[in-house]
Amino acid sequence: MSLDVDPPDPPELAAVDPNEYEDAEVSGGEYRRDELEAFLREGAWEEAFDEWTAGSDMDEEDWRIALDLGLVSRFDFFWDDFADRVGYHAPGLPEDWKERDLHPDLDSWGTVSAINAGLTELGQIVCETLKTEYIDWEADFDAPDDLPDFEA
């Protein structure tokens, strides 16, 4: 499948400690958000978005709901120096979406799952695009000298 929609503006990255997210554990305190945000504006976001839409399982209705709820603007991307990677937090719909009456067209767990899974996939592709195509810095983390040698 593919999703035929225009890319929205890239998210503005807030100064949030990624350890506050339930799905992230990051060491260090230099998250390089300004640089990552610049890369997103310079083309990483659109490049990753185009790759994502080419294989996305989301449909236009799911995407419209995600946009209406402002989910895309709540993405967060940050540098994880310890892991030498770009980490991310994908926004999603809460489990109590039905009780909260979040959107008039949000009416099934299938739609909620499609939106949450689709945004997670988009976040992963953005991270991979940033790391492989834009980032030229190396992690500053130096492993201790007393780590075991696992060479075969």
Side-chain angles (χ1 to χ4, degrees):
M1 283 180 70
S2 69
L3 180 60
D4 187 21
V5 295
D6 294 327
D9 291 335
E12 294 181 17
L13 306 182
V16 175
D17 182 344
N19 292 303
E20 293 180 21
Y21 301 127
E22 292 177 14
D23 58 352
E25 186 174 323
V26 180
S27 297
E30 178 55 46
Y31 304 119
R32 302 182 91 149
R33 284 193 173 92
D34 290 340
E35 293 149 292
L36 293 174
E37 192 172 317
F39 291 147
L40 293 172
R41 285 192 308 268
E42 291 167 8
W45 177 257
E46 189 167 339
E47 183 180 329
F49 189 84
D50 289 345
E51 179 182 336
W52 174 71
T53 57
S56 178
D57 289 333
M58 280 180 78
D59 62 25
E60 281 80 7
E61 180 68 12
D62 299 339
W63 180 246
R64 187 183 60 75
I65 292 170
L67 288 179
D68 287 351
L69 293 173
L71 295 177
V72 175
S73 66
R74 296 194 317 223
F75 265 105
D76 189 18
F77 298 95
F78 48 87
W79 179 246
D80 182 349
D81 195 57
F82 181 76
D84 192 29
R85 69 177 179 97
V86 177
Y88 73 102
H89 174 73
L93 297 169
E95 289 184 18
D96 63 349
W97 61 271
K98 192 178 278 191
E99 292 82 20
R100 293 167 113 188
D101 195 27
L102 295 175
H103 193 279
D105 296 327
L106 191 59
D107 57 5
S108 75
W109 276 106
T111 300
V112 170
S113 294
I115 291 170
N116 287 347
L119 294 177
T120 298
E121 291 167 358
L122 174 57
Q124 185 60 45
I125 291 171
V126 170
C127 290
E128 292 167 3
T129 300
L130 285 165
K131 180 70 171 137
T132 59
E133 304 294 329
Y134 289 83
I135 293 174
D136 62 359
W137 62 70
E138 295 292 323
D140 292 331
F141 177 77
D142 289 322
D145 293 332
D146 59 350
L147 288 179
D149 186 4
F150 293 108
E151 291 181 27

